[in-house]
Amino acid sequence: MIKRFFSKYFELLFWTAAMLSLAMTPPTEASHFTLCPLKLMGIGWCPGCGLGHSIIYLFHGEISNSFRAHWLGIPAVAVIFNRIYVLTRARLVERQFKSAV
């Protein structure tokens, strides 16, 4: 039962928690830990670095800083919120279908 619940709701909970944590992070916070494999290998440039900062700036209303941090931050937020919406809607429809049967 736990395995089925986990497999059903993991992605929804993951994206929601990720967006909430980025929304609560102060934009001026210095970055001291990274999960970027390229940065961990000592490579200075990465195509994805700055995306998190871009989303943080966007959530705090700093659109120009968001665009400067990474130009894909705004589309990424739109895609992730769409995914959260689709997953939530699917779970609600599934739940309504089960209660109707």
Side-chain angles (χ1 to χ4, degrees):
M1 179 167 157
I2 292 175
K3 188 175 182 180
R4 194 173 88 203
F5 178 82
F6 184 75
S7 66
K8 238 183 193 180
Y9 293 99
F10 176 74
E11 186 181 0
L12 177 60
L13 293 173
F14 175 82
W15 288 123
T16 304
M19 290 290 107
L20 286 173
S21 67
L22 288 172
M24 291 187 282
T25 303
T28 56
E29 180 112 354
S31 177
H32 50 78
F33 179 72
T34 184
L35 295 174
C36 177
L38 295 178
K39 234 176 212 167
L40 292 173
M41 291 188 307
I43 299 171
W45 183 82
C46 171
C49 286
L51 192 56
H53 286 299
S54 177
I55 293 171
I56 291 169
Y57 283 128
L58 182 63
F59 282 147
H60 286 83
E62 300 179 26
I63 297 173
S64 62
N65 284 337
S66 172
F67 193 76
R68 260 187 253 127
H70 200 291
W71 61 278
L72 283 176
I74 296 169
V77 168
V79 167
I80 293 170
F81 276 149
N82 180 56
R83 185 65 183 154
I84 290 172
Y85 170 75
V86 167
L87 289 169
T88 302
R89 199 175 95 215
R91 297 302 167 247
L92 290 175
V93 167
E94 180 181 292
R95 197 173 249 183
Q96 288 175 349
F97 179 73
K98 281 185 178 181
S99 66
V101 174

